[in-house]
Amino acid sequence: MQFPSLEPGIAAQKSVAVTPDNTAAALGSGCLPVFATPAMLALMELCAAESVADLLPEGCSTVGTRLDVKHLSATPVGMTVRCETELTEADRRRLVFFCRAFDDAGLIGEGTQERFIVENERFMEKAASKKPAER
């Protein structure tokens, strides 16, 4: 399959309310009721994935393969976190995004993530092949 040539500069934003369900205490990444690092990472991945989803051939998507992100500041329940992503590098199937997250007080996290364009059916077949055969 021929994958599209995506140009750097593709940007997106996505926001989420901080609720008891996406705190460190709820997700098990800590014991405090503040926006969890795994929740911030998931928001960054979702924002980047959605930014290019409509530009991919039918039956393709992206999968995350690497994150290098710093969580700089805690955000309490009741605030909103906004994520911004920008495609900074595109090399065939490999995509690199610069990601930043903000709450109303300012920057709370930033870093990069790498994603790869995959053919969904082929990817899932390969993943399923790891399971032992059922008897």
Side-chain angles (χ1 to χ4, degrees), residues 105-121:
L107 183 69
I108 65 161
E110 66 181 350
T112 59
Q113 73 168 283
E114 177 182 83
R115 303 186 69 76
F116 272 80
I117 301 170
V118 298
E119 295 177 61
N120 298 339
E121 189 173 320

Side-chain angles (χ1 to χ4, degrees), residues 22 25 29 42-43 48 50 56 59 68 75 80 108 132:
N22 58 15
S29 64
L43 180 62
E50 287 184 352
L56 302 177
D68 183 10
T75 304
T80 298
I108 65 161

Side-chain angles (χ1 to χ4, degrees), residues 37-107:
T37 300
M40 183 182 74
L41 298 175
L43 180 62
M44 289 177 169
E45 286 204 280
L46 179 62
C47 189
E50 287 184 352
S51 75
V52 296
D54 291 342
L55 304 172
L56 302 177
E58 188 172 326
C60 291
S61 62
T62 61
V63 295
T65 56
R66 182 178 182 155
L67 287 166
D68 183 10
V69 176
K70 293 179 183 179
H71 196 166
L72 304 168
S73 180
T75 304
V77 171
M79 292 186 80
T80 298
V81 173
R82 182 183 85 255
C83 175
E84 298 176 354
T85 62
E86 181 179 352
L87 181 63
T88 58
E89 186 180 338
D91 181 16
R92 295 180 302 244
R93 296 184 318 121
R94 181 178 170 268
L95 307 174
V96 178
F97 295 85
F98 179 64
C99 308
R100 294 186 302 171
F102 302 86
D103 62 19
D104 294 336
L107 183 69

